[in-house]
Amino acid sequence: MRRELNVREDRDRIELPVGPIYSFMPAHGGSRAGAVAEQLSRTLSEVPGFSVLLAGFAAREYSLWNPADSPRRLDGHTWGAFVFDSHGLEVLDAREVYPRQLRRVLEYAQRKYRIVCADVTEAKEAHSLETLRTSECIFVVSHSDRASLEMAREKRQWLQSIDLADQCGLLLDRVPGGVCSEEAEEITGLPMCSLVDRPEFIERLAGWLVAEETYSSEPAYAVVN
């Protein structure tokens, strides 16, 4: 395993608090929030002692898992919440959970998994709000072109209107002709957390989240260039 993702084995013998939820919100429909959430979840799941759940709201035909996979309940209740194994990654199909029950499902997941990543790309508004309100950090994923960043700014303004802007950060997917990280921050008003257009940036972001979860009780932001 890559050095920056190593975690001390004795952490497994320590009683841990509930795991954080990190939500991934696209600046617009073409943003790769779902792909970034999946890549990051798979990287985190390779860390020794780290159990990771990827929660998604996409329609079944667009989901990560094979329809032939056998589902199992996340818990003992019949809430329509299923967990699948998708090539070694635990995936929760949360789209059929009643919004008023979603918080209980996510709280159960937090007790069961070290980290929960939630892709809200296809989530209904009620699902999205409930998920975002339980999140330790909300990552807005945007391409680096100005039009995408202006839409990311609109997402930040909406999050600010519901008192969730303080835990938001920007994940920047660089494209030809796009602006630099500093200008992206100025346009969006979001703190830059990481680039996500190359695998090594995803790995560094995963390493930062592991370090934050392992050693710190206070949320923080990091710039990964």
Side-chain angles (χ1 to χ4, degrees):
M1 190 57 213
R2 297 175 179 86
R3 183 173 58 187
E4 62 266 26
L5 298 185
N6 286 339
V7 180
R8 292 181 302 180
E9 293 183 357
D10 61 356
R11 289 289 299 176
D12 292 342
R13 298 191 294 271
I14 300 175
E15 184 177 352
L16 297 168
V18 294
I21 296 175
Y22 298 108
S23 286
F24 297 78
M25 170 182 285
H28 58 81
S31 301
R32 296 191 317 114
V36 170
E38 180 190 355
Q39 292 168 16
L40 182 63
S41 297
R42 291 192 181 280
T43 303
L44 288 167
S45 69
E46 296 175 359
V47 178
F50 263 69
S51 55
V52 180
L53 179 70
L54 173 61
F57 298 87
R60 181 65 58 86
E61 58 267 26
Y62 300 112
S63 297
L64 297 171
W65 50 78
N66 186 313
D69 289 341
S70 177
R72 67 181 185 278
R73 294 287 179 182
L74 179 66
D75 57 19
H77 299 278
T78 57
W79 292 343
F82 296 101
V83 173
F84 295 79
D85 182 277
S86 175
H87 306 289
L89 176 64
E90 299 277 285
V91 181
L92 168 66
D93 176 10
R95 63 195 172 91
E96 297 300 329
V97 180
Y98 290 121
R100 66 178 179 273
Q101 296 171 330
L102 182 57
R103 181 180 291 270
R104 294 170 64 189
V105 172
L106 293 174
E107 288 175 349
Y108 180 89
Q110 287 180 279
R111 294 192 299 270
K112 184 176 176 61
Y113 297 88
R114 289 287 296 274
I115 289 180
V116 177
C117 294
D119 170 25
V120 299
T121 302
E122 299 291 336
K124 298 176 183 178
E125 183 176 358
H127 284 142
S128 180
L129 283 170
E130 199 64 43
T131 304
L132 296 174
R133 284 172 177 154
T134 63
S135 299
E136 178 170 313
C137 186
I138 301 167
F139 294 114
V140 179
V141 183
S142 176
H143 292 125
S144 61
D145 61 281
R146 185 172 293 274
S148 295
L149 292 168
E150 288 174 351
M151 284 185 272
R153 179 180 61 199
E154 292 176 1
K155 289 293 176 68
R156 192 263 304 167
Q157 292 170 341
W158 175 73
L159 289 165
Q160 187 174 34
S161 73
I162 57 175
D163 297 323
L164 292 178
D166 288 346
Q167 59 259 48
C168 296
L170 179 65
L171 299 182
L172 192 63
D173 189 0
R174 294 180 298 184
V175 295
V179 305
C180 65
S181 299
E182 291 77 9
E183 191 170 354
E185 284 190 317
E186 292 178 4
I187 294 171
T188 62
L190 291 165
M192 177 70 182
C193 290
S194 180
L195 301 172
V196 292
D197 51 285
R198 288 164 54 182
E200 54 264 40
F201 296 141
I202 298 289
E203 293 165 8
R204 292 176 189 173
L205 176 59
W208 168 57
L209 294 180
V210 167
E212 284 298 307
E213 209 294 44
T214 304
Y215 302 114
S216 175
S217 60
E218 296 294 329
Y221 294 109
V223 177
V224 182
N225 292 314

